Amino acid sequence: MDSFVFSLNATVPIFLVMVFGYVLRQIGMFTEEFCSVADRYVFKAALPVLLFRDIAQTDLYQDFHWDFVLYCAGVTVVMFAGLWIAAAKLMPDKTMVGAFVQGAARSSVAVLGIAFVENMYGDAGLTPLMIVAAVPLFNVFSVVILTFSAGGGTHGRAAVRRACINVLKNPIILGIFAGLPFSLLRIELPVIPLKVIDSVAATATPLALLVVGAGFHGAQALAKLRPTVAATAIKLLALPALFLPLAVRLGFTGTEMVAVLIMLGSPTTVTSYIMAKNMGNDAELSSSIVVLTTLLSSVTLTAWIFLLRVMQLI
């Protein structure tokens, strides 16, 4: 029961903020112009600052475990590549591929990861290592897949060149890599700049959630119900079922196992909607996946936590 209440406390407030954004759009308080500007602000300013701060304040030298880092990075590569290949072959509407793969693979680790583990153990444990290993790859793969999927999936040298350029100039990726020198060199951010960074970073998640809710259109989402449900099932059930046994075999327990669970089975990050919309992909499908995975994750995460506790792994 405690695990269920904890999962509800972690996910339901996120869902309700999105509902609030939807209501504000329906009553006319959020306009199309406001949502467009807010999208760009979150994508180009708030989220990069948030990830810069999180990476810059991570001590990569403390309790560094290569096996854990390699596991997180390797699983990220396998699940993105596998889903991309499968979706490109099986989905009849190629314009949905980028949004589908992002929604099925990309977890909200930066938003929920540390908070979730701290809630259970009192400290972040190895969660920052998981974020360092997985989040940059999440973003690189997302940029590449969204680039190839834009406009129905163009290929060839031009698409490869455009993907490389998009990776190099993507604000979120730039924010991550800008934070790495501070972490590697253990440079502490001065108090005044840090307070400014904290203030800007604090706007990222709530504003992104409000914009996702405001951009959700129920009638259009119902037309894309099948890919939404499929991506949700992959995100919350299939990926944990596929990759958690490997984590068990590698001997991960405690905070390591919870961090892996968050990487695999937490709701789809709101960033996927922001990036899909800003890169000319299916924002409606992305929004639907974010909403449904957030709604159902309180049940699925509770079930996974219960199973791991029964197995004495957490």
Side-chain angles (χ1 to χ4, degrees), residues 126-166:
L126 296 185
T127 309
L129 285 183
M130 180 269 289
I131 292 175
V132 170
V135 170
L137 291 173
F138 278 179
N139 285 279
V140 169
F141 269 103
S142 295
V143 171
V144 172
I145 292 169
L146 291 172
T147 300
F148 275 85
S149 299
T154 56
H155 301 283
R157 291 184 179 179
V160 173
R161 184 168 57 250
R162 190 168 67 251
C164 293
I165 293 172
N166 285 340

Side-chain angles (χ1 to χ4, degrees), residues 112-307:
L112 291 182
I114 291 178
F116 204 97
V117 177
E118 283 182 342
N119 232 355
M120 294 182 68
Y121 290 95
D123 61 75
L126 296 185
T127 309
L129 285 183
M130 180 269 289
I131 292 175
V132 170
V135 170
L137 291 173
F138 278 179
N139 285 279
V140 169
F141 269 103
S142 295
V143 171
V144 172
I145 292 169
L146 291 172
T147 300
F148 275 85
S149 299
T154 56
H155 301 283
R157 291 184 179 179
V160 173
R161 184 168 57 250
R162 190 168 67 251
C164 293
I165 293 172
N166 285 340
V167 167
L168 293 175
K169 71 178 186 180
N170 182 272
I172 294 173
I173 294 175
L174 291 175
I176 291 171
F177 283 99
L180 282 176
F182 289 86
S183 178
L184 292 171
L185 300 175
R186 289 178 168 171
I187 300 172
E188 288 190 18
L189 294 169
V191 174
I192 293 177
L194 181 57
K195 287 188 176 181
V196 175
I197 290 170
D198 285 339
S199 296
V200 175
T203 66
T205 301
L207 185 55
L209 292 172
L210 288 170
V211 171
V212 169
F216 183 77
H217 302 286
Q220 296 178 28
L222 288 176
K224 300 175 180 177
L225 187 60
R226 289 181 65 184
T228 298
V229 171
T232 300
I234 291 170
K235 183 77 208 68
L236 302 181
L237 299 174
L239 292 179
L242 186 62
F243 292 110
L244 280 176
L246 177 59
V248 174
R249 188 171 184 83
L250 290 173
F252 299 151
T253 58
T255 59
E256 294 173 322
M257 188 60 72
V258 176
V260 168
L261 175 60
I262 294 300
M263 183 184 76
L264 296 171
S266 65
T268 303
T269 176
V270 66
T271 312
S272 65
Y273 165 80
I274 301 296
M275 286 184 65
K277 187 170 183 179
N278 279 273
M279 296 184 66
N281 276 251
D282 195 329
E284 184 60 44
L285 177 58
S286 294
S287 173
S288 301
I289 295 172
V290 170
V291 171
L292 190 58
T293 55
T294 302
L295 177 62
L296 297 180
S297 61
S298 61
V299 177
T300 57
L301 280 176
T302 300
W304 287 117
I305 290 171
F306 177 76
L307 178 62

Side-chain angles (χ1 to χ4, degrees), residues 60-140:
L60 294 178
Y61 298 100
Q62 184 177 358
D63 298 325
F64 194 90
H65 296 273
W66 275 109
D67 56 345
F68 181 70
V69 171
L70 291 174
Y71 169 86
C72 294
V75 166
T76 300
V77 171
V78 170
M79 67 182 181
F80 265 97
L83 285 170
W84 191 9
I85 293 170
K89 288 185 176 181
L90 299 176
M91 293 191 75
D93 187 348
K94 303 308 178 186
T95 62
M96 291 186 181
V97 169
F100 179 87
V101 174
Q102 251 209 134
R106 194 172 179 185
S107 301
S108 53
V109 294
V111 176
L112 291 182
I114 291 178
F116 204 97
V117 177
E118 283 182 342
N119 232 355
M120 294 182 68
Y121 290 95
D123 61 75
L126 296 185
T127 309
L129 285 183
M130 180 269 289
I131 292 175
V132 170
V135 170
L137 291 173
F138 278 179
N139 285 279
V140 169

